[in-house]
Amino acid sequence: MIMVNYNNDACGLHFVGLLIVLSALCTNAFSSSARVSTTRFNAIPSHKGGALPSLPNVKAAVIVPGFLTGKDEFIPLARSLTAKGIPTVVVPMPNWHWLPCLGGRSMRPMLERIDFTVKHLAAVAGDLDQYDALTTDSLSKDPQLFIPNFSYDPIDLYQDFRNNPGGVLQVGGSAEVDQYPLWNPKGTFQEAPEAQGKVILIGHSAGGWIARAYMSSRNYGGKSYNGHKLVHSLVTLGSPHGNAPGPAFKGVEWVNNDVIDAGVRALAVGGTGYKGDSSGQLTQNAYSFCCPYGSDGSQYDGDGVTPIESALAMKEYVTNADTLVLDDVGHFCWSDVFGGATVAPELAKFHKEGRPWYGDDDIIEKWAGWI
């Protein structure tokens, strides 16, 4: 059964998905890519005045991978969406770029990567309107080629890992987002040309609430991203939007104190059919982690990682957000990734037996139609 709720008033992961739980409980903080011809910078905040010219909405999308996943895990989903007429790219990062964010610390490193990708896709958005006409062979039908690589080396990783504020250890003095000290993540990002259109943002698991932080005009740890100026629609897949205890949810609490620009459409998608008391230890732990009432997670239902109440909670904080409940749909393609059967044996078994996840073709049809 599929339940769709429009305008109702009323956690992303590969085989290491359990680390979304473990990282929040972490009590110790650690004290890819092609080089591009650019000037190195430290993600200096931009406060330029003036409004962007009115930009057309373009049916092209950026996927934000969930916690501890990267581009490679989501290229199949991007290709499926592209084949369905929605040219789609993935934020071009490997999963280890998440390491500075362990323990519930600032998501500025991720926000820089989202900003980089959205701006480059928005810069070619006019061409994407005629995407089929511009591409003549299967090799060239890959919009990911429009997104350049950026540089991030082990020294950058070490510095970010040491200095990224917030989290369990309150690096920089506080776990509260609004009290983060001014700090700029490392990396060399090629500047994008002028935007030609607004695009779609699709966030999986934690990538969904982080996408909401990107949309905000508020200052997040030293920078206002104003993503709503370049994004016309937001889709979240199994994202934890509900408030919950602990430093890992300070960022979620921060976005829930914000309001997404009224001109941005939003859809929260959640799966059910994975009961907390019968879907394995990872599921029960994840539900307990995401719930606001100190439950052990056993009485919740959801996609195996994010309880359905949390996945749909965006509607409580985003004006006119739509919701979509997908029955018997799981969080991730556990049996397709290395180590999935070790970390989440029950979920990997369910997936191998044919139970779908958000990125399977038949399921994509159910939520991508909203776009």
Side-chain angles (χ1 to χ4, degrees), residues 325-342:
V325 178
L326 300 172
D327 189 55
D328 198 37
V329 170
H331 192 79
F332 197 67
C333 50
W334 298 97
S335 66
D336 291 345
V337 296
F338 177 77
T342 300

Side-chain angles (χ1 to χ4, degrees), residues 162-334:
R162 181 176 182 179
N163 298 313
N164 194 21
V168 173
L169 294 186
Q170 300 184 14
V171 177
S174 178
E176 300 292 337
V177 174
D178 287 332
Q179 297 178 28
Y180 288 166
L182 178 61
W183 168 82
N184 297 307
K186 302 298 182 180
T188 304
F189 298 84
Q190 181 177 349
E191 186 174 354
E194 184 177 351
Q196 301 299 314
K198 295 183 179 182
V199 299
I200 304 154
L201 206 50
I202 300 171
H204 176 255
S205 197
W209 76 257
I210 297 169
R212 290 174 57 199
Y214 174 69
M215 306 286 282
S216 177
S217 59
R218 293 167 62 206
N219 184 301
Y220 183 102
K223 185 172 180 177
S224 301
Y225 287 90
N226 290 298
H228 62 90
K229 295 181 178 179
L230 294 176
V231 174
H232 64 80
S233 298
L234 170 66
V235 178
T236 66
L237 306 173
S239 297
H241 294 296
N243 293 333
F249 277 85
K250 290 299 182 182
V252 176
E253 181 181 316
W254 185 88
V255 298
N256 285 343
N257 286 326
D258 200 8
V259 177
I260 288 184
D261 183 88
V264 177
R265 302 169 66 237
L267 173 68
V269 183
T272 63
Y274 292 79
K275 305 291 186 180
D277 60 358
S278 59
S279 300
Q281 196 62 53
L282 185 148
T283 295
Q284 185 171 340
N285 289 347
Y287 290 175
S288 176
F289 179 60
C290 291
C291 75
Y293 306 118
S295 165
D296 66 359
S298 62
Q299 300 306 307
Y300 283 82
D301 190 9
D303 62 13
V305 171
T306 304
I308 189 62
E309 293 88 350
S310 186
L312 303 185
M314 184 169 71
K315 70 178 183 290
E316 300 175 16
Y317 307 103
V318 176
T319 305
N320 297 322
D322 296 331
T323 60
L324 174 62
V325 178
L326 300 172
D327 189 55
D328 198 37
V329 170
H331 192 79
F332 197 67
C333 50
W334 298 97

